[in-house]
Amino acid sequence: MISYTRLFTSVCALASTAAALNTLEVSGKDFVDSETKDRFQIIGVDYQPGGSSGFTSKLDPLSDGDVCLRDAALMQRLGINTIRVYNLEPSLNHDECASIFNAAGIYMILDVSNPLAGGYLDRTAPWTTYSAIYYEQVFGVIEGFKNYDNLLGFFAGNEVINEEATYMAPKYVRAVVRDMKDYIAKNADRAIPVGYSAADIRDILMDTIHYFECDLKNSTSSRADFFGLNSYSWCGTSSYTSSGFDTLTEDFANATIPVFFSEYGCNEVKPRVFTEVQAIYGVEMTQAFSGGLVYEWTQEDNEYGLVKINNSDTVTTLVDYDNFQNQLNKLDMDRIMSSNSTQTSVEAETCSVSLITSKTFYDAWDLPEVPSKVSDYIKNGLPDAPTGKLVSVSSTTIPQTVYDYTGKEITGIKFEVKSGANTPSNSSSSSGSSTSGSSSSSGTSTSTNAASPNGAPSLAFGGAAGFFMLLASLL
């Protein structure tokens, strides 16, 4: 029999533990919850605080826990369930930030490249950078993040195929998809999705997705698991037809993998009103798209931000934050997240020249051979690579002062531990609000203040009966 002191300590520890998010997987053209099989649609934001200057070999967007806690709390209030992070340094520790976003009910989609030397595939001569040096970056990111349950997937490339790219660029990007998926299959505990983020170049857009989604019989692992689109064609109070979103919906209606906007949110008209949100999550588009990520979280020189970081102690939610929140709060989440067997039962076409219509797009799948050292990494793992794990999250109150765009302080903002994905609420917009914002979730909110380490059981004990059940489990 254990002592009452030890028992009480154990009860307190377990009572302050929240389960990790369920992992997501690809089923046909949908993302689905691996446990409930419910459809998951991305309601996200692109996350790169400080822009390109906010990334160095000693600092990236997921290496500062205080910053992540602040931003996760504000994203919860907004209704965000996914972030995309562009530049990551594998040698840094990301446990705290990943755990904060996990506890917040927010998934992560991560680019594996970075702009430093050896960290990217050169679109103008990809064969010169398709090397072991590059894969130290790629596999390093995989190792660092593979154990986080809120990792939705990896981007093998971002707009590599554009007007500046050489003719053979597609086959090198597909080779990166192959190598990443082979590495994950050999060195991770689950099948983490890998995809590509494309520029909205309409002349080659369909060729691009056909190139990546088709099934290559002698290299099945090279098929992308999802497809992101960076599109800014809806500006101001545009419409479904004048923006060309109707054409995009028609084009991607027959896709066989999940498609979503990896960037959207034109700022040619300011402030942004985000009327495209109702279209993206409307009945027509949700049959072709799995949501999207608005560009971007912090205000930088290009003026796409939802929030402005004034200094380390204060932050301002911009009018775009309020406008975006107002649009998100109108969404019918039950419909958006409901499963659809016609979405999950689609099958890939076999790769063939007939899938490619443009003479300027590469129409062969003769993928380059894996470099010998890269092959060794795939077989044996990247040597001495730091591997992350979820840790407890103890802070729920952010220390920074938050103002709205009128200069009024917003009080009562708290980080809330979730037991499911974060969702928008129907609460009022941010200005002067004293609530913690987005309080509803697909799971039940908890009053706990810690997220469990990876693999911890989900515990929800309520009332006296639950308390005694917990006691019994410890005796």
Side-chain angles (χ1 to χ4, degrees):
M1 186 72 66
I2 59 176
S3 70
Y4 285 109
T5 300
R6 182 183 167 195
L7 177 62
F8 182 76
T9 301
S10 299
V11 169
C12 291
L14 286 174
S16 64
T17 299
L21 283 171
N22 293 335
T23 58
L24 298 178
E25 59 190 18
V26 172
S27 180
K29 61 190 299 182
D30 280 351
F31 294 113
V32 298
D33 185 301
S34 61
E35 298 294 330
T36 67
K37 304 305 178 184
D38 289 336
R39 187 185 191 192
F40 179 83
Q41 283 225 318
I42 294 168
I43 301 173
V45 63
D46 296 309
Y47 186 61
Q48 50 176 359
S52 58
S53 61
F55 169 76
T56 68
S57 61
K58 298 181 179 179
L59 176 70
D60 70 26
L62 296 178
S63 62
D64 188 327
D66 290 338
V67 171
C68 291
L69 184 69
R70 174 200 70 198
D71 292 341
L74 290 171
M75 288 180 193
Q76 278 189 318
R77 192 168 179 274
L78 188 57
I80 296 300
N81 67 17
T82 309
I83 57 172
R84 174 189 183 177
V85 184
Y86 294 84
N87 301 319
L88 292 163
E89 169 51 50
S91 65
L92 299 176
N93 189 309
H94 302 103
D95 288 350
E96 187 175 5
C97 280
S99 301
I100 286 169
F101 283 111
N102 174 74
I106 297 173
Y107 290 91
M108 306 180 297
I109 304 176
L110 310 176
D111 288 67
V112 294
S113 301
N114 72 38
L116 303 181
Y120 60 92
L121 196 68
D122 185 349
R123 64 171 60 91
T124 64
W127 52 90
T128 65
T129 49
Y130 181 72
S131 65
I133 294 175
Y134 172 57
Y135 275 100
E136 290 175 8
Q137 163 69 24
V138 174
F139 294 159
V141 172
I142 293 175
E143 284 292 332
F145 288 86
K146 67 182 183 181
N147 290 334
Y148 303 136
D149 288 349
N150 61 325
L151 172 63
L152 192 160
F154 295 110
F155 277 126
N158 178 57
E159 297 192 4
V160 178
I161 304 165
N162 62 15
E163 295 90 343
E164 299 176 356
T166 58
Y167 180 64
M168 291 187 291
K171 76 173 187 177
Y172 280 91
V173 180
R174 181 147 176 162
V176 175
V177 173
R178 173 198 65 194
D179 301 339
M180 289 177 63
K181 291 178 66 174
D182 287 347
Y183 187 92
I184 289 168
K186 186 72 174 177
N187 298 284
D189 292 334
R190 64 181 174 100
I192 303 165
V194 177
Y196 175 69
S197 178
D200 189 3
I201 305 173
R202 298 294 169 96
D203 292 344
I204 61 170
L205 189 54
M206 288 300 96
D207 289 340
T208 305
I209 187 170
H210 288 154
Y211 192 88
F212 286 105
E213 73 172 345
C214 67
D215 185 28
L216 188 60
K217 297 304 181 185
N218 64 350
S219 181
T220 56
S221 63
S222 67
R223 181 178 184 246
D225 295 312
F226 59 83
F227 188 84
L229 174 63
N230 300 336
S231 179
Y232 296 86
S233 63
W234 186 306
C235 299
T237 55
S238 187
S239 70
Y240 182 59
T241 53
S242 60
S243 66
F245 272 33
D246 59 335
T247 302
L248 290 176
T249 302
E250 182 179 354
D251 286 343
F252 288 106
N254 296 319
T256 57
I257 56 177
V259 177
F260 59 93
F261 290 96
S262 40
E263 294 177 9
Y264 76 92
C266 170
N267 71 348
E268 290 182 10
V269 179
K270 299 176 184 176
R272 294 183 289 176
V273 290
F274 298 108
T275 51
E276 66 265 47
V277 166
Q278 302 311 312
I280 292 171
Y281 300 97
V283 174
E284 294 88 356
M285 293 195 74
T286 52
Q287 301 307 307
F289 285 85
S290 293
L293 300 118
V294 71
Y295 192 84
E296 64 179 322
W297 181 243
T298 55
Q299 183 80 328
E300 310 298 340
D301 292 341
N302 55 13
E303 298 185 346
Y304 278 92
L306 299 179
V307 303
K308 181 181 179 182
I309 310 304
N310 305 314
N311 50 53
S312 60
D313 298 320
T314 66
V315 60
T316 298
T317 60
L318 302 176
V319 65
D320 284 15
Y321 178 102
D322 278 41
N323 291 344
F324 189 43
Q325 184 182 46
N326 289 336
Q327 294 292 341
L328 293 181
N329 286 346
K330 298 176 185 178
L331 299 181
D332 181 351
M333 295 306 300
D334 289 338
R335 178 188 62 78
I336 290 171
M337 298 297 190
S338 61
S339 59
N340 186 332
S341 59
T342 61
Q343 300 280 112
T344 57
S345 60
V346 295
E347 296 183 1
E349 293 182 287
T350 300
C351 296
S352 69
V353 175
S354 63
L355 294 175
I356 307 301
T357 60
S358 173
K359 293 181 179 179
T360 64
F361 198 93
Y362 196 71
D363 62 357
W365 285 265
D366 52 339
L367 306 184
E369 290 188 14
V370 184
S372 60
K373 194 171 184 179
V374 175
S375 183
D376 289 340
Y377 291 159
I378 293 172
K379 181 179 179 180
N380 302 310
L382 185 66
D384 303 319
T387 301
K389 65 176 187 245
L390 292 176
V391 297
S392 63
V393 178
S394 57
S395 298
T396 59
T397 302
I398 65 172
Q400 297 87 355
T401 302
V402 181
Y403 300 97
D404 70 10
Y405 67 94
T406 70
K408 185 176 181 179
E409 182 178 352
I410 306 173
T411 59
I413 296 177
K414 292 183 178 180
F415 176 86
E416 180 183 0
V417 173
K418 301 281 186 177
S419 60
N422 190 49
T423 62
S425 71
N426 57 7
S427 63
S428 61
S429 62
S430 69
S431 299
S433 173
S434 61
T435 69
S436 60
S438 181
S439 59
S440 63
S441 73
S442 60
T444 303
S445 299
T446 71
S447 58
T448 60
N449 61 1
S452 72
N454 193 35
S458 175
L459 298 171
F461 297 94
F467 179 77
F468 286 113
M469 286 174 62
L470 177 56
L471 292 182
S473 71
L474 295 170
L475 295 174

mmCIF file of all heavy atoms in Angstrom, residues 55 60 86-91 111-121 131-145 154 180 377 382:
data_model
loop_
_atom_site.group_PDB
_atom_site.id
_atom_site.type_symbol
_atom_site.label_atom_id
_atom_site.label_comp_id
_atom_site.label_asym_id
_atom_site.label_seq_id
_atom_site.Cartn_x
_atom_site.Cartn_y
_atom_site.Cartn_z
ATOM 1 N N PHE A 55 15.023 34.201 -38.234
ATOM 2 C CA PHE A 55 15.600 32.861 -38.257
ATOM 3 C C PHE A 55 17.112 32.941 -38.385
ATOM 4 O O PHE A 55 17.640 33.612 -39.261
ATOM 5 C CB PHE A 55 15.042 32.051 -39.423
ATOM 6 C CG PHE A 55 15.775 30.761 -39.658
ATOM 7 C CD1 PHE A 55 15.569 29.675 -38.831
ATOM 8 C CD2 PHE A 55 16.704 30.644 -40.682
ATOM 9 C CE1 PHE A 55 16.262 28.487 -39.028
ATOM 10 C CE2 PHE A 55 17.399 29.466 -40.895
ATOM 11 C CZ PHE A 55 17.174 28.385 -40.061
ATOM 12 N N ASP A 60 14.869 30.001 -34.085
ATOM 13 C CA ASP A 60 13.835 29.790 -35.090
ATOM 14 C C ASP A 60 12.475 29.981 -34.435
ATOM 15 O O ASP A 60 12.385 30.196 -33.217
ATOM 16 C CB ASP A 60 13.991 28.434 -35.803
ATOM 17 C CG ASP A 60 13.682 27.224 -34.937
ATOM 18 O OD1 ASP A 60 12.900 27.341 -33.966
ATOM 19 O OD2 ASP A 60 14.213 26.129 -35.218
ATOM 20 N N TYR A 86 8.049 27.871 -41.615
ATOM 21 C CA TYR A 86 8.877 27.774 -42.806
ATOM 22 C C TYR A 86 10.332 27.378 -42.529
ATOM 23 O O TYR A 86 10.889 26.545 -43.231
ATOM 24 C CB TYR A 86 8.884 29.113 -43.554
ATOM 25 C CG TYR A 86 7.557 29.514 -44.133
ATOM 26 C CD1 TYR A 86 6.602 30.158 -43.366
ATOM 27 C CD2 TYR A 86 7.257 29.257 -45.469
ATOM 28 C CE1 TYR A 86 5.386 30.540 -43.898
ATOM 29 C CE2 TYR A 86 6.043 29.634 -46.021
ATOM 30 C CZ TYR A 86 5.100 30.279 -45.230
ATOM 31 O OH TYR A 86 3.887 30.650 -45.762
ATOM 32 N N ASN A 87 10.955 28.026 -41.559
ATOM 33 C CA ASN A 87 12.401 27.866 -41.364
ATOM 34 C C ASN A 87 12.707 27.306 -39.988
ATOM 35 O O ASN A 87 12.359 27.910 -38.963
ATOM 36 C CB ASN A 87 13.110 29.216 -41.532
ATOM 37 C CG ASN A 87 12.875 29.825 -42.898
ATOM 38 O OD1 ASN A 87 12.890 29.118 -43.905
ATOM 39 N ND2 ASN A 87 12.645 31.135 -42.941
ATOM 40 N N LEU A 88 13.374 26.158 -39.956
ATOM 41 C CA LEU A 88 13.684 25.499 -38.697
ATOM 42 C C LEU A 88 15.145 25.067 -38.664
ATOM 43 O O LEU A 88 15.700 24.665 -39.680
ATOM 44 C CB LEU A 88 12.787 24.276 -38.502
ATOM 45 C CG LEU A 88 11.299 24.595 -38.285
ATOM 46 C CD1 LEU A 88 10.448 23.354 -38.515
ATOM 47 C CD2 LEU A 88 11.068 25.147 -36.886
ATOM 48 N N GLU A 89 15.716 25.155 -37.487
ATOM 49 C CA GLU A 89 17.101 24.730 -37.268
ATOM 50 C C GLU A 89 17.083 23.434 -36.452
ATOM 51 O O GLU A 89 16.687 23.437 -35.271
ATOM 52 C CB GLU A 89 17.878 25.822 -36.528
ATOM 53 C CG GLU A 89 19.248 25.408 -36.021
ATOM 54 C CD GLU A 89 20.122 24.768 -37.089
ATOM 55 O OE1 GLU A 89 20.263 25.351 -38.193
ATOM 56 O OE2 GLU A 89 20.665 23.671 -36.824
ATOM 57 N N PRO A 90 17.483 22.306 -37.039
ATOM 58 C CA PRO A 90 17.364 21.004 -36.371
ATOM 59 C C PRO A 90 18.128 20.876 -35.058
ATOM 60 O O PRO A 90 17.745 20.067 -34.202
ATOM 61 C CB PRO A 90 17.925 20.022 -37.401
ATOM 62 C CG PRO A 90 17.816 20.714 -38.710
ATOM 63 C CD PRO A 90 18.000 22.169 -38.411
ATOM 64 N N SER A 91 19.202 21.645 -34.882
ATOM 65 C CA SER A 91 20.026 21.487 -33.685
ATOM 66 C C SER A 91 19.396 22.116 -32.440
ATOM 67 O O SER A 91 19.816 21.841 -31.325
ATOM 68 C CB SER A 91 21.410 22.103 -33.914
ATOM 69 O OG SER A 91 21.310 23.512 -34.092
ATOM 70 N N ASP A 111 7.989 23.123 -42.991
ATOM 71 C CA ASP A 111 8.894 23.050 -44.139
ATOM 72 C C ASP A 111 10.227 22.486 -43.660
ATOM 73 O O ASP A 111 10.708 22.826 -42.576
ATOM 74 C CB ASP A 111 9.107 24.438 -44.729
ATOM 75 C CG ASP A 111 7.877 24.953 -45.467
ATOM 76 O OD1 ASP A 111 6.849 25.214 -44.804
ATOM 77 O OD2 ASP A 111 7.940 25.090 -46.686
ATOM 78 N N VAL A 112 10.839 21.639 -44.469
ATOM 79 C CA VAL A 112 12.101 21.018 -44.053
ATOM 80 C C VAL A 112 13.328 21.792 -44.520
ATOM 81 O O VAL A 112 14.443 21.516 -44.078
ATOM 82 C CB VAL A 112 12.196 19.557 -44.549
ATOM 83 C CG1 VAL A 112 11.142 18.688 -43.875
ATOM 84 C CG2 VAL A 112 12.084 19.468 -46.069
ATOM 85 N N SER A 113 13.143 22.737 -45.419
ATOM 86 C CA SER A 113 14.275 23.533 -45.922
ATOM 87 C C SER A 113 14.435 24.799 -45.094
ATOM 88 O O SER A 113 13.511 25.218 -44.385
ATOM 89 C CB SER A 113 14.059 23.898 -47.392
ATOM 90 O OG SER A 113 13.928 22.748 -48.202
ATOM 91 N N ASN A 114 15.603 25.407 -45.193
ATOM 92 C CA ASN A 114 15.801 26.752 -44.659
ATOM 93 C C ASN A 114 16.731 27.509 -45.602
ATOM 94 O O ASN A 114 17.357 26.909 -46.476
ATOM 95 C CB ASN A 114 16.315 26.718 -43.207
ATOM 96 C CG ASN A 114 17.757 26.267 -43.070
ATOM 97 O OD1 ASN A 114 18.627 26.594 -43.885
ATOM 98 N ND2 ASN A 114 18.032 25.510 -42.013
ATOM 99 N N PRO A 115 16.803 28.840 -45.486
ATOM 100 C CA PRO A 115 17.548 29.625 -46.475
ATOM 101 C C PRO A 115 19.055 29.638 -46.292
ATOM 102 O O PRO A 115 19.765 30.245 -47.108
ATOM 103 C CB PRO A 115 16.970 31.032 -46.278
ATOM 104 C CG PRO A 115 16.553 31.075 -44.847
ATOM 105 C CD PRO A 115 16.062 29.699 -44.530
ATOM 106 N N LEU A 116 19.565 28.982 -45.276
ATOM 107 C CA LEU A 116 21.010 28.979 -45.051
ATOM 108 C C LEU A 116 21.706 28.059 -46.037
ATOM 109 O O LEU A 116 21.089 27.184 -46.648
ATOM 110 C CB LEU A 116 21.310 28.550 -43.613
ATOM 111 C CG LEU A 116 20.662 29.394 -42.499
ATOM 112 C CD1 LEU A 116 21.070 28.852 -41.138
ATOM 113 C CD2 LEU A 116 21.040 30.862 -42.638
ATOM 114 N N ALA A 117 22.996 28.234 -46.200
ATOM 115 C CA ALA A 117 23.778 27.413 -47.132
ATOM 116 C C ALA A 117 23.610 25.937 -46.805
ATOM 117 O O ALA A 117 23.742 25.525 -45.648
ATOM 118 C CB ALA A 117 25.252 27.810 -47.059
ATOM 119 N N GLY A 118 23.308 25.140 -47.817
ATOM 120 C CA GLY A 118 23.108 23.713 -47.631
ATOM 121 C C GLY A 118 21.739 23.333 -47.129
ATOM 122 O O GLY A 118 21.449 22.146 -46.958
ATOM 123 N N GLY A 119 20.864 24.324 -46.940
ATOM 124 C CA GLY A 119 19.561 24.051 -46.345
ATOM 125 C C GLY A 119 18.403 24.003 -47.314
ATOM 126 O O GLY A 119 17.262 23.868 -46.878
ATOM 127 N N TYR A 120 18.672 24.106 -48.613
ATOM 128 C CA TYR A 120 17.563 24.158 -49.573
ATOM 129 C C TYR A 120 17.963 23.510 -50.891
ATOM 130 O O TYR A 120 19.150 23.316 -51.189
ATOM 131 C CB TYR A 120 17.139 25.607 -49.821
ATOM 132 C CG TYR A 120 18.227 26.493 -50.376
ATOM 133 C CD1 TYR A 120 18.393 26.663 -51.751
ATOM 134 C CD2 TYR A 120 19.111 27.164 -49.528
ATOM 135 C CE1 TYR A 120 19.401 27.467 -52.273
ATOM 136 C CE2 TYR A 120 20.120 27.970 -50.022
ATOM 137 C CZ TYR A 120 20.257 28.115 -51.396
ATOM 138 O OH TYR A 120 21.266 28.904 -51.900
ATOM 139 N N LEU A 121 16.931 23.200 -51.675
ATOM 140 C CA LEU A 121 17.123 22.652 -53.013
ATOM 141 C C LEU A 121 17.095 23.807 -54.003
ATOM 142 O O LEU A 121 16.094 24.527 -54.096
ATOM 143 C CB LEU A 121 15.998 21.655 -53.325
ATOM 144 C CG LEU A 121 16.195 20.697 -54.494
ATOM 145 C CD1 LEU A 121 17.303 19.701 -54.195
ATOM 146 C CD2 LEU A 121 14.896 19.953 -54.793
ATOM 147 N N SER A 131 21.962 16.480 -52.233
ATOM 148 C CA SER A 131 23.180 15.890 -51.676
ATOM 149 C C SER A 131 22.994 15.553 -50.206
ATOM 150 O O SER A 131 21.991 15.925 -49.573
ATOM 151 C CB SER A 131 24.340 16.884 -51.811
ATOM 152 O OG SER A 131 24.087 18.024 -51.004
ATOM 153 N N ALA A 132 23.981 14.890 -49.648
ATOM 154 C CA ALA A 132 23.946 14.515 -48.239
ATOM 155 C C ALA A 132 23.921 15.737 -47.335
ATOM 156 O O ALA A 132 23.306 15.711 -46.256
ATOM 157 C CB ALA A 132 25.148 13.630 -47.902
ATOM 158 N N ILE A 133 24.564 16.807 -47.754
ATOM 159 C CA ILE A 133 24.564 18.031 -46.939
ATOM 160 C C ILE A 133 23.143 18.556 -46.778
ATOM 161 O O ILE A 133 22.708 18.924 -45.680
ATOM 162 C CB ILE A 133 25.475 19.104 -47.581
ATOM 163 C CG1 ILE A 133 26.936 18.652 -47.541
ATOM 164 C CG2 ILE A 133 25.308 20.441 -46.877
ATOM 165 C CD1 ILE A 133 27.890 19.585 -48.258
ATOM 166 N N TYR A 134 22.401 18.584 -47.881
ATOM 167 C CA TYR A 134 21.013 19.036 -47.823
ATOM 168 C C TYR A 134 20.184 18.115 -46.934
ATOM 169 O O TYR A 134 19.344 18.569 -46.139
ATOM 170 C CB TYR A 134 20.441 19.100 -49.237
ATOM 171 C CG TYR A 134 18.954 19.377 -49.307
ATOM 172 C CD1 TYR A 134 18.412 20.522 -48.722
ATOM 173 C CD2 TYR A 134 18.090 18.496 -49.947
ATOM 174 C CE1 TYR A 134 17.052 20.785 -48.790
ATOM 175 C CE2 TYR A 134 16.724 18.742 -50.025
ATOM 176 C CZ TYR A 134 16.220 19.888 -49.442
ATOM 177 O OH TYR A 134 14.868 20.134 -49.502
ATOM 178 N N TYR A 135 20.415 16.819 -47.012
ATOM 179 C CA TYR A 135 19.605 15.876 -46.249
ATOM 180 C C TYR A 135 19.936 15.871 -44.759
ATOM 181 O O TYR A 135 19.137 15.391 -43.951
ATOM 182 C CB TYR A 135 19.714 14.467 -46.848
ATOM 183 C CG TYR A 135 18.737 14.290 -47.985
ATOM 184 C CD1 TYR A 135 19.168 14.402 -49.308
ATOM 185 C CD2 TYR A 135 17.392 14.062 -47.747
ATOM 186 C CE1 TYR A 135 18.274 14.273 -50.360
ATOM 187 C CE2 TYR A 135 16.493 13.932 -48.781
ATOM 188 C CZ TYR A 135 16.930 14.038 -50.086
ATOM 189 O OH TYR A 135 16.032 13.913 -51.115
ATOM 190 N N GLU A 136 21.062 16.414 -44.385
ATOM 191 C CA GLU A 136 21.313 16.608 -42.960
ATOM 192 C C GLU A 136 20.306 17.598 -42.383
ATOM 193 O O GLU A 136 19.862 17.454 -41.242
ATOM 194 C CB GLU A 136 22.747 17.086 -42.741
ATOM 195 C CG GLU A 136 23.789 16.001 -43.020
ATOM 196 C CD GLU A 136 25.204 16.509 -42.931
ATOM 197 O OE1 GLU A 136 25.405 17.676 -42.495
ATOM 198 O OE2 GLU A 136 26.138 15.767 -43.292
ATOM 199 N N GLN A 137 19.942 18.608 -43.180
ATOM 200 C CA GLN A 137 18.895 19.545 -42.787
ATOM 201 C C GLN A 137 17.530 18.860 -42.812
ATOM 202 O O GLN A 137 16.768 18.903 -41.837
ATOM 203 C CB GLN A 137 18.892 20.754 -43.728
ATOM 204 C CG GLN A 137 17.634 21.609 -43.712
ATOM 205 C CD GLN A 137 17.435 22.388 -42.429
ATOM 206 O OE1 GLN A 137 18.396 22.670 -41.716
ATOM 207 N NE2 GLN A 137 16.183 22.732 -42.124
ATOM 208 N N VAL A 138 17.210 18.193 -43.915
ATOM 209 C CA VAL A 138 15.889 17.582 -44.091
ATOM 210 C C VAL A 138 15.636 16.509 -43.036
ATOM 211 O O VAL A 138 14.612 16.532 -42.324
ATOM 212 C CB VAL A 138 15.762 16.980 -45.504
ATOM 213 C CG1 VAL A 138 14.451 16.211 -45.652
ATOM 214 C CG2 VAL A 138 15.853 18.073 -46.566
ATOM 215 N N PHE A 139 16.530 15.563 -42.926
ATOM 216 C CA PHE A 139 16.352 14.472 -41.970
ATOM 217 C C PHE A 139 16.502 14.969 -40.530
ATOM 218 O O PHE A 139 15.923 14.395 -39.602
ATOM 219 C CB PHE A 139 17.339 13.340 -42.248
ATOM 220 C CG PHE A 139 17.122 12.634 -43.563
ATOM 221 C CD1 PHE A 139 18.143 11.904 -44.160
ATOM 222 C CD2 PHE A 139 15.893 12.698 -44.217
ATOM 223 C CE1 PHE A 139 17.947 11.236 -45.364
ATOM 224 C CE2 PHE A 139 15.682 12.048 -45.433
ATOM 225 C CZ PHE A 139 16.724 11.321 -46.013
ATOM 226 N N GLY A 140 17.284 16.032 -40.351
ATOM 227 C CA GLY A 140 17.402 16.627 -39.020
ATOM 228 C C GLY A 140 16.073 17.172 -38.530
ATOM 229 O O GLY A 140 15.708 17.009 -37.353
ATOM 230 N N VAL A 141 15.315 17.821 -39.427
ATOM 231 C CA VAL A 141 13.987 18.326 -39.063
ATOM 232 C C VAL A 141 13.046 17.160 -38.754
ATOM 233 O O VAL A 141 12.279 17.193 -37.786
ATOM 234 C CB VAL A 141 13.411 19.218 -40.184
ATOM 235 C CG1 VAL A 141 11.951 19.582 -39.889
ATOM 236 C CG2 VAL A 141 14.237 20.493 -40.333
ATOM 237 N N ILE A 142 13.106 16.121 -39.566
ATOM 238 C CA ILE A 142 12.258 14.944 -39.312
ATOM 239 C C ILE A 142 12.563 14.353 -37.939
ATOM 240 O O ILE A 142 11.653 14.060 -37.151
ATOM 241 C CB ILE A 142 12.453 13.884 -40.412
ATOM 242 C CG1 ILE A 142 11.919 14.404 -41.751
ATOM 243 C CG2 ILE A 142 11.743 12.586 -40.025
ATOM 244 C CD1 ILE A 142 12.183 13.467 -42.921
ATOM 245 N N GLU A 143 13.845 14.163 -37.636
ATOM 246 C CA GLU A 143 14.224 13.598 -36.344
ATOM 247 C C GLU A 143 13.747 14.482 -35.195
ATOM 248 O O GLU A 143 13.231 13.992 -34.190
ATOM 249 C CB GLU A 143 15.743 13.425 -36.256
ATOM 250 C CG GLU A 143 16.289 12.245 -37.025
ATOM 251 C CD GLU A 143 15.860 10.914 -36.424
ATOM 252 O OE1 GLU A 143 15.612 10.853 -35.204
ATOM 253 O OE2 GLU A 143 15.766 9.932 -37.175
ATOM 254 N N GLY A 144 13.918 15.781 -35.356
ATOM 255 C CA GLY A 144 13.563 16.694 -34.278
ATOM 256 C C GLY A 144 12.083 16.731 -33.964
ATOM 257 O O GLY A 144 11.690 16.983 -32.822
ATOM 258 N N PHE A 145 11.234 16.470 -34.957
ATOM 259 C CA PHE A 145 9.794 16.668 -34.786
ATOM 260 C C PHE A 145 8.953 15.396 -34.901
ATOM 261 O O PHE A 145 7.751 15.435 -34.664
ATOM 262 C CB PHE A 145 9.303 17.701 -35.809
ATOM 263 C CG PHE A 145 9.740 19.104 -35.513
ATOM 264 C CD1 PHE A 145 10.966 19.572 -35.954
ATOM 265 C CD2 PHE A 145 8.931 19.958 -34.773
ATOM 266 C CE1 PHE A 145 11.378 20.866 -35.672
ATOM 267 C CE2 PHE A 145 9.330 21.250 -34.485
ATOM 268 C CZ PHE A 145 10.565 21.712 -34.927
ATOM 269 N N PHE A 154 4.990 17.358 -43.248
ATOM 270 C CA PHE A 154 6.144 18.127 -43.714
ATOM 271 C C PHE A 154 5.932 18.565 -45.158
ATOM 272 O O PHE A 154 5.388 17.818 -45.979
ATOM 273 C CB PHE A 154 7.418 17.265 -43.681
ATOM 274 C CG PHE A 154 7.865 16.835 -42.325
ATOM 275 C CD1 PHE A 154 7.770 15.496 -41.937
ATOM 276 C CD2 PHE A 154 8.406 17.740 -41.419
ATOM 277 C CE1 PHE A 154 8.206 15.069 -40.697
ATOM 278 C CE2 PHE A 154 8.841 17.322 -40.168
ATOM 279 C CZ PHE A 154 8.735 15.990 -39.799
ATOM 280 N N MET A 180 12.180 11.408 -48.137
ATOM 281 C CA MET A 180 11.612 11.736 -46.828
ATOM 282 C C MET A 180 10.677 10.633 -46.349
ATOM 283 O O MET A 180 10.733 10.208 -45.193
ATOM 284 C CB MET A 180 10.872 13.069 -46.895
ATOM 285 C CG MET A 180 11.772 14.282 -47.034
ATOM 286 S SD MET A 180 10.824 15.820 -47.194
ATOM 287 C CE MET A 180 9.979 15.883 -45.610
ATOM 288 N N TYR A 377 21.751 7.111 -44.436
ATOM 289 C CA TYR A 377 20.925 7.814 -43.452
ATOM 290 C C TYR A 377 19.538 7.186 -43.373
ATOM 291 O O TYR A 377 18.983 6.993 -42.289
ATOM 292 C CB TYR A 377 20.787 9.290 -43.818
ATOM 293 C CG TYR A 377 22.043 10.121 -43.692
ATOM 294 C CD1 TYR A 377 22.166 11.325 -44.397
ATOM 295 C CD2 TYR A 377 23.093 9.731 -42.868
ATOM 296 C CE1 TYR A 377 23.303 12.112 -44.288
ATOM 297 C CE2 TYR A 377 24.242 10.502 -42.751
ATOM 298 C CZ TYR A 377 24.336 11.693 -43.468
ATOM 299 O OH TYR A 377 25.472 12.471 -43.347
ATOM 300 N N LEU A 382 19.838 9.354 -39.152
ATOM 301 C CA LEU A 382 20.831 10.422 -39.173
ATOM 302 C C LEU A 382 21.622 10.385 -37.866
ATOM 303 O O LEU A 382 21.045 10.501 -36.781
ATOM 304 C CB LEU A 382 20.142 11.778 -39.334
ATOM 305 C CG LEU A 382 21.043 12.997 -39.482
ATOM 306 C CD1 LEU A 382 21.816 12.929 -40.802
ATOM 307 C CD2 LEU A 382 20.220 14.287 -39.422
#
